């Protein structure tokens, strides 16, 4: 069983904690998925609550496109990667609207390219990802003494930072600046583990004794995430349900056994939403602003979306998906029912990037039924907002979903979610039909078993419900009233930080 964390209610209780937050993507500098949103908003909210925090991330070429003021510092140093010496130049910016510094670590060979992990527009990983993130991990640690920081906590995120806890407990265990530092590892998605051939040990520069199934080895491969799980003091993940699920063979991605050995140190803390970015009341990307009391703007947004995507401006239900096109997201179920779905008078809008098989599927339908299907294969932040505002129904039939952000954005935008009851979707979407759910709490539709017929039946149930517009509007309003503020999650992180720094 994973642990529940208590959190304190007022700032006076909070001891000042010094935190170094490591992430391979941070909004607005670089984003491939929800990790970027979270890595921006957690530090921002921790800082608001009095935590001293800095963020460290790689300086990819694409960072230059964010139009953020970035300055070169005078910090430059070298680290050994394999048999070679590599140089790291440190740049600095701030999380917008805050004084939280973001240190960007630059090395042209490793990060002088636009993709974060893959060749842009493909699912093909860069061949040197092992070296790239060994470099990031080592240079991030090396920056700390150069900034003269004595962090209480280094907070790592996902496999890209998985070796950091290992370094802290081995190569850097006697470092003056890091002696008292505790490690938190957050798993945003257990399916991505950073698996590399044993040759990568040479780049990692770690003792071969660690290449053992008790530590870094995983079926003959070097596993960065496993390293993080084994060597961190605390492991968190992004919803309470996912924290339980990952300790089972069904959801454990081969690491459930390792996770069970750490069960007493695993905590689920649900992500929140940055309502300064995602709120129809003041969203600058959408055609008209609206509130829960006055929904007229939503109709304007729906028409604007239809116009923009060249769909007929009709009063039919618009179903949307904004997603990475991967197996995780339940797209095989959608493919199975798609033909039948299109027999209804509806419109379907997709925004996504990812696997070709899914791209081709939706492109094909957009070509043969253009009056019903709009397929947008790109990463487009403004369009994501416009779809959230203009759609009626948001589909997330995920095979697994650590937390999920889009169902929460959808709630705020009055776009009713249909989800599979798993991970963070189970913790946030409450089916109208569930008798134990108060009518005011109900905010969407869900189904449990991973099955196309069940998805189809749930969509039909939603279509039936949609016919009664006043009931539908109540459901929309329920969702719009519910909030998942980051402050609540940030307080839980603080409470965890305190619990491990006190020991
Ligand atoms: P995951 O992290 O698994 O991709 P989440 O729901 O947690 O899923 O977060 C996805 C984030 O990425 C959301 O902010 C979503 O709006 C955004 N997103 C995903 N695909 C696209 C896209 N093609 N264009 C714009 N935003 C996207």
């Amino acid at each position: 069983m994973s642990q529940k964390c208590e959190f304190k209610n007022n700032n006076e209780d909070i001891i000042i904690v010094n935190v170094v937050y490591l992430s391979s993507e941070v909004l607005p500098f670089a984003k491939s998925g929800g990790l970027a949103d979270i890595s921006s908003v957690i530090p921002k909210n921790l800082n608001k609550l009095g935590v001293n925090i800095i963020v460290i991330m790689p300086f990819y070429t694409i960072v230059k496109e964010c139009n953020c003021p970035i300055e070169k510092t005078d910090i430059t140093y070298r680290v050994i990667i394999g048999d070679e010496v590599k140089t790291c130049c440190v740049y600095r910016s701030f999380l917008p609207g805050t004084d939280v510094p973001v240190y960007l670590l630059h090395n042209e060979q490793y990060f002088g390219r636009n993709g974060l992990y893959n060749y842009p527009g493909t699912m093909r990983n860069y061949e040197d990802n092992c070296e790239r993130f060994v470099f990031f991990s080592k240079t991030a640690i090396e920056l700390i003494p150069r900034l003269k920081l004595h962090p209480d906590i280094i907070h790592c995120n996902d496999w890209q930072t998985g070796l950091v806890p290992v370094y802290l407990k081995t190569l850097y265990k006697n470092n003056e600046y890091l002696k008292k530092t505790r490690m938190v590892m957050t798993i945003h998605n257990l399916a991505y583990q950073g698996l590399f051939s044993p040759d990568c040990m040479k780049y990692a520069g770690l003792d071969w004794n660690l290449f053992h199934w008790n530590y870094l080895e995983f079926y003959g491969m070097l596993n960065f995430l496993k390293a993080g799980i084994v060597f961190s003091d605390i492991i968190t993940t992004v919803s309470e349900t996912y924290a339980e699920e990952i300790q089972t063979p069904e959801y454990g991605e081969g690491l459930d056994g390792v996770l069970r050995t750490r069960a007493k140190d695993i905590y689920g803390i649900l992500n929140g939403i940055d309502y300064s970015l995602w709120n129809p009341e003041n969203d600058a990307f959408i055609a008209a602003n609206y509130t829960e009391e006055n929904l007229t703007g939503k109709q304007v947004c729906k028409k604007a979306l239809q116009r923009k995507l060249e769909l007929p401006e009709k009063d039919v239900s618009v179903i949307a998906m904004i997603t990475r096109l991967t197996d995780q997201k339940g797209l095989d179920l959608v493919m199975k029912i798609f033909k039948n779905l299109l027999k209804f008078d509806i419109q379907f809008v997709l925004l996504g990037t990812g696997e070709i098989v899914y791209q081709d599927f939706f492109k094909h339908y957009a070509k043969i039924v253009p009056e019903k299907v709009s397929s947008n294969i790109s990463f487009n932040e403004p369009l994501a907002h416009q779809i959230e505002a203009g759609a009626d129904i948001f589909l997330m039939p995920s095979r697994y979903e650590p937390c999920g952000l889009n169902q929460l954005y959808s709630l705020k935008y009055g776009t009713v979610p249909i989800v599979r009851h798993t991970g963070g979707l189970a913790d946030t979407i409450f089916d109208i039909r569930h008798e134990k759910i108060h009518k005011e709490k109900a905010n969407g539709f869900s189904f449990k078993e991973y099955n196309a017929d069940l998805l189809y039946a749930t969509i039909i149930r939603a279509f039936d419900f949609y016919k009664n517009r006043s009931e539908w509007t109540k459901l929309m309003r329920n969702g719009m009233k519910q909030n998942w503020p980051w402050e609540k999650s940030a307080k839980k992180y603080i409470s965890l930080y305190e619990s491990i720094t006190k020991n």
Side-chain angles (χ1 to χ4, degrees):
M1 286 285 280
S2 57
Q3 309 299 303
K4 284 207 183 294
C5 44
E6 301 299 314
F7 61 97
K8 311 230 166 64
N9 290 322
N10 68 57
N11 289 5
E12 280 141 41
D13 289 339
I14 290 168
I15 302 166
I16 295 290
V17 211
N18 300 300
V19 178
V20 171
Y21 195 89
L22 306 186
S23 180
S24 57
E25 47 186 284
V26 181
L27 208 69
F29 305 98
K31 168 165 171 169
S32 81
L35 174 61
D37 304 53
I38 294 155
S39 301
S40 175
V41 82
I42 289 186
K44 211 153 99 181
N45 280 280
L46 288 173
N47 184 244
K48 266 193 212 156
L49 292 170
V51 172
N52 285 330
I53 188 160
I54 67 160
V55 178
I56 309 181
M57 67 174 289
F59 194 161
Y60 313 101
T61 302
I62 202 162
V63 167
K64 292 177 194 154
E65 288 176 21
C66 80
N67 280 330
C68 315
I70 296 175
E71 58 176 3
K72 193 170 190 299
T73 71
D74 55 8
I75 308 173
T76 301
Y77 47 96
R78 295 188 174 84
V79 290
I80 297 174
I81 305 289
D83 303 326
E84 293 181 30
V85 175
K86 305 285 177 185
T87 303
C88 174
C89 298
V90 181
Y91 290 72
R92 193 177 67 160
S93 187
F94 290 91
L95 289 178
T98 74
D99 54 7
V100 176
V102 179
Y103 289 93
L104 296 135
L105 307 186
H106 188 259
N107 173 283
E108 190 57 28
Q109 178 193 340
Y110 292 135
F111 301 127
R113 36 185 126 163
N114 269 337
L116 273 55
Y117 324 117
N118 310 329
Y119 289 90
T122 76
M123 298 296 283
R124 212 175 112 220
N125 288 331
Y126 289 127
E127 291 78 7
D128 57 351
N129 272 347
C130 163
E131 269 179 80
R132 296 172 78 224
F133 289 100
V134 164
F135 174 84
F136 175 57
S137 301
K138 281 191 172 173
T139 49
I141 297 172
E142 286 283 345
L143 179 61
I144 294 168
R146 286 171 172 83
L147 296 174
K148 304 206 174 348
L149 298 176
H150 292 87
D152 300 301
I153 302 286
I154 298 182
H155 191 145
C156 298
N157 293 281
D158 278 350
W159 72 263
Q160 293 86 346
T161 56
L163 292 187
V164 172
V166 189
Y167 289 133
L168 261 273
K169 292 204 173 144
T170 56
L171 305 183
Y172 292 87
K173 72 170 188 257
N174 295 321
N175 185 298
E176 269 313 307
Y177 289 88
L178 301 165
K179 261 186 188 162
K180 292 191 179 152
T181 305
R182 297 278 190 267
M183 303 297 313
V184 175
M185 178 87 221
T186 296
I187 302 170
H188 297 266
N189 192 332
L190 189 64
Y192 299 89
Q193 299 183 2
L195 278 176
F196 300 102
S197 88
D199 297 346
C200 183
M201 281 299 283
K202 113 175 159 214
Y203 300 118
L206 288 162
D207 192 311
W208 268 102
N209 288 332
L210 291 171
F211 194 74
H212 182 280
W213 63 271
N214 271 337
Y215 307 113
L216 314 188
E217 190 259 355
F218 182 76
Y219 298 101
M221 304 286 275
L222 170 59
N223 186 323
F224 278 33
L225 187 61
K226 179 177 174 182
I229 292 170
V230 173
F231 282 87
S232 295
D233 296 287
I234 288 283
I235 298 140
T236 75
T237 185
V238 288
S239 67
E240 287 189 3
T241 297
Y242 194 60
E244 300 294 335
E245 285 175 343
I246 56 175
Q247 297 178 55
T248 66
E250 188 185 352
Y251 291 95
E253 304 283 347
L255 288 177
D256 48 298
V258 183
L259 285 161
R260 283 195 298 275
T261 66
R262 300 289 328 258
K264 71 174 179 35
D265 302 315
I266 301 180
Y267 295 83
I269 300 180
L270 196 73
N271 288 329
I273 294 301
D274 189 345
Y275 290 111
S276 69
L277 297 178
W278 291 93
N279 188 343
E281 225 174 304
N282 49 27
D283 188 329
F285 289 125
I286 63 181
N289 294 116
Y290 57 93
T291 62
E292 163 215 331
E293 289 88 29
N294 185 352
L295 288 163
T296 14
K298 184 152 176 79
Q299 283 312 312
V300 179
C301 290
K302 180 167 174 173
K303 287 212 159 79
L305 180 70
Q306 289 170 323
R307 208 172 313 129
K308 176 166 187 154
L309 301 181
E310 297 177 3
L311 291 166
E313 286 178 45
K314 282 169 68 179
D315 181 25
V316 293
S317 41
V318 175
I319 306 177
M321 288 187 85
I322 302 170
T323 184
R324 286 181 298 114
L325 299 172
T326 65
D327 295 345
Q328 173 197 340
K329 300 295 182 177
L331 295 156
D332 55 329
L333 301 189
V334 178
M335 280 163 77
K336 278 189 194 144
I337 64 162
F338 207 62
K339 221 170 172 178
N340 283 337
L341 199 58
L342 294 183
K343 289 183 185 153
F344 290 86
D345 196 12
I346 57 148
Q347 293 172 351
F348 185 94
V349 172
L350 171 93
L351 172 63
T353 53
E355 285 168 28
I356 298 291
V357 51
Y358 299 126
Q359 290 190 25
D360 288 349
F361 178 86
F362 290 111
K363 276 193 214 155
H364 169 73
Y365 274 98
K367 204 168 168 191
I368 61 170
V369 206
E371 70 285 7
K372 285 194 169 181
V373 180
S374 166
S375 163
N376 304 275
I377 308 296
S378 65
F379 197 93
N380 186 333
E381 191 86 24
L383 185 56
H385 288 246
Q386 288 148 11
I387 292 173
E388 284 292 5
D392 298 294
I393 294 173
F394 198 90
L395 210 52
M396 278 180 93
S398 305
R399 191 180 284 277
Y400 67 91
E401 195 60 70
C403 174
L405 293 174
N406 272 117
Q407 85 279 17
L408 301 178
Y409 301 152
S410 298
L411 291 177
K412 195 69 199 162
Y413 283 72
T415 303
V416 176
I418 298 180
V419 306
R420 177 161 174 260
H421 190 83
T422 183
L425 298 173
D427 293 353
T428 54
I429 302 304
F430 310 108
D431 194 304
I432 182 83
R433 149 175 105 160
H434 206 295
E435 67 279 11
K436 286 197 192 125
I437 298 292
H438 287 295
K439 286 282 170 271
E440 306 75 54
K441 196 176 174 192
N443 57 12
F445 300 85
S446 69
F447 63 101
K448 211 158 190 173
E449 202 181 307
Y450 191 77
N451 175 299
D453 293 336
L454 281 177
L455 167 62
Y456 188 65
T458 310
I459 296 177
I460 303 298
R461 197 151 59 78
F463 286 168
D464 280 343
F465 201 82
Y466 184 73
K467 286 180 197 149
N468 185 338
R469 291 299 172 91
S470 75
E471 284 301 302
W472 184 267
T473 307
K474 269 191 218 158
L475 191 60
M476 287 165 63
R477 290 204 161 110
N478 282 354
M480 294 179 83
K481 277 186 213 143
Q482 298 165 355
N483 280 322
W484 275 271
W486 268 107
E487 198 190 41
K488 203 166 148 191
S489 322
K491 283 182 177 169
K492 291 190 179 187
Y493 282 110
I494 291 173
S495 157
L496 267 188
Y497 293 159
E498 287 181 3
S499 72
I500 47 175
T501 47
K502 272 183 203 150
N503 299 328

